[in-house]
Amino acid sequence: MPILPLVPHVSRYRGGKRDLQLKNAQANALAQRVAEHVNKLIADDPRELQQYFFANIARDLGVSVEAVRGAISDGGYNGITIRIDAEDRIALARYRHG
């Protein structure tokens, strides 16, 4: 089971090519956006056991399934299943709506 809150899978580019630096920064920003979205979904759902499909997340955010799959390294191929306990709820408190 993944550790909550989810942390995006980011890559590091240390080279000097500006176009590759920009591409890497955009991919990392997208990964952060995906992780934030999923953390909000988890925090707002009262169920102890939750499952999210990458295709649904991709549709919500208007991105590719591959981008979502790459952003969440703790998931499987099609999605992610999460069991949430009281400690996880505390860790996810900042993501709650309302």
Side-chain angles (χ1 to χ4, degrees):
M1 289 288 164
I3 296 173
L4 295 173
L6 294 178
V7 176
H9 181 257
V10 296
S11 61
R12 308 274 191 266
Y13 176 72
R14 297 174 194 251
K17 295 184 178 179
R18 288 295 282 150
D19 57 330
L20 293 179
Q21 290 172 346
L22 179 61
K23 186 176 179 180
N24 186 65
Q26 290 171 336
N28 289 344
L30 176 58
Q32 182 65 42
R33 189 170 145 222
V34 169
E36 291 279 326
H37 178 71
V38 176
N39 283 327
K40 288 176 184 176
L41 291 174
I42 296 166
D44 289 338
D45 191 332
R47 295 176 297 161
E48 178 185 349
L49 187 62
Q50 300 177 24
Q51 186 175 40
Y52 298 96
F53 293 101
F54 292 153
N56 294 342
I57 298 166
R59 186 191 66 238
D60 289 349
L61 297 175
V63 299
S64 71
V65 174
E66 291 77 22
V68 174
R69 190 177 291 130
I72 302 174
S73 59
D74 291 330
Y77 186 76
N78 290 319
I80 187 168
T81 301
I82 301 161
R83 180 174 305 279
I84 299 154
D85 60 22
E87 290 179 14
D88 294 327
R89 292 277 173 211
I90 293 168
L92 290 165
R94 70 183 175 121
Y95 294 100
R96 288 200 52 131
H97 288 101

